[in-house]
């Protein structure tokens, strides 16, 4: 009987302990940092942070969101190709058939893919910029000029 009373008294302690299970993600703010994640395609429904305080109209928001969705779809394919090239380079590095010429050719392909991605990002940024009014463009330019070169948005 004493054991039963002791167990009943300790039951709330065990229930509220809530130990972490394997595969659980740390809660937001643990170690002073938010959890890291990569934007998923559904994140195209959110505007970039630098555009949220501009007072965009509904039409501007829908145009920007459609531009973002198209860009995400395009970048998904580009990243798949980039990953395939990097895997070829990785496999070549750990094979007996390694040659500097083949490695250099694969590295050039990776660089060309990065150039393409940078160009696509610049085109997206410019398309978003053209959707803004003159006042909104001035606010964005002021925000960009305040940013340091080592912290892109």
């Amino acid at each position: 009987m004493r054991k039963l009373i002791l167990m009943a008294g300790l039951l709330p302690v065990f229930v509220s302990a809530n130990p972490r299970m394997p595969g659980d993600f740390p809660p937001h703010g643990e170690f002073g940092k938010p959890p890291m994640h990569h934007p998923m395609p559904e994140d195209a429904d959110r505007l970039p942070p630098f555009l949220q305080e501009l007072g965009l109209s509904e039409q501007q928001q829908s145009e920007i969101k459609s531009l973002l969705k198209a860009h995400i779809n395009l970048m998904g394919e580009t990243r798949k190709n980039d990953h395939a090239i990097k895997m070829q380079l990785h496999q070549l590095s750990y094979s007996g058939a390694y040659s500097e010429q083949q490695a250099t050719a694969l590295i050039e392909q990776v660089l060309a893919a990065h150039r393409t991605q940078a160009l696509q990002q610049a085109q997206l940024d410019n398309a978003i910029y053209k959707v803004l009014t003159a006042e909104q463009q001035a606010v964005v330019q002021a925000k960009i000029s305040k940013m340091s070169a080592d912290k892109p948005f």
Side-chain angles (χ1 to χ4, degrees):
M1 187 70 169
R2 287 184 190 178
K3 290 181 183 178
L4 184 60
I5 293 173
L6 181 63
M7 287 177 21
L10 292 176
L11 184 62
V13 173
F14 292 120
V15 171
S16 65
N18 194 14
R20 214 176 264 172
M21 301 302 290
D24 283 352
F25 293 106
H28 180 74
E30 186 173 41
F31 307 116
K33 296 180 182 178
M36 295 181 63
H37 73 283
H38 294 284
M40 299 304 288
E42 60 268 10
D43 281 350
D45 291 333
R46 287 191 253 154
L47 292 174
F50 72 97
L51 294 176
Q52 291 178 353
E53 299 172 358
L54 293 179
L56 299 172
S57 68
E58 291 295 323
Q59 181 182 1
Q60 286 176 317
Q61 289 182 13
S62 65
E63 286 182 45
I64 291 171
K65 287 177 183 178
S66 66
L67 288 169
L68 290 171
K69 285 180 184 176
H71 178 72
I72 286 173
N73 293 337
L74 182 63
M75 291 302 288
E77 292 300 317
T78 305
R79 286 189 179 125
K80 285 179 188 175
N81 295 338
D82 187 36
H83 180 70
I85 296 168
K86 287 180 182 178
M87 287 306 298
Q88 288 176 357
L89 180 61
H90 184 70
Q91 290 171 352
L92 178 66
S93 299
Y94 290 99
S95 72
Y98 177 81
S99 76
E100 291 287 325
Q101 278 184 323
Q102 289 176 333
T104 304
L106 288 173
I107 290 170
E108 290 297 324
Q109 289 178 6
V110 169
L111 291 174
H114 282 242
R115 256 187 251 115
T116 303
Q117 289 175 3
L119 179 62
Q120 290 169 348
Q121 184 65 46
Q123 289 170 344
L124 171 69
D125 291 342
N126 186 258
I128 289 173
Y129 183 76
K130 288 180 180 177
V131 170
L132 303 176
T133 64
E135 295 84 21
Q136 292 168 336
Q137 289 175 351
V139 171
V140 169
Q141 286 176 346
K143 285 183 180 182
I144 289 173
S145 67
K146 289 180 184 176
M147 296 168 64
S148 64
D150 60 321
K151 292 185 179 180
F153 60 91

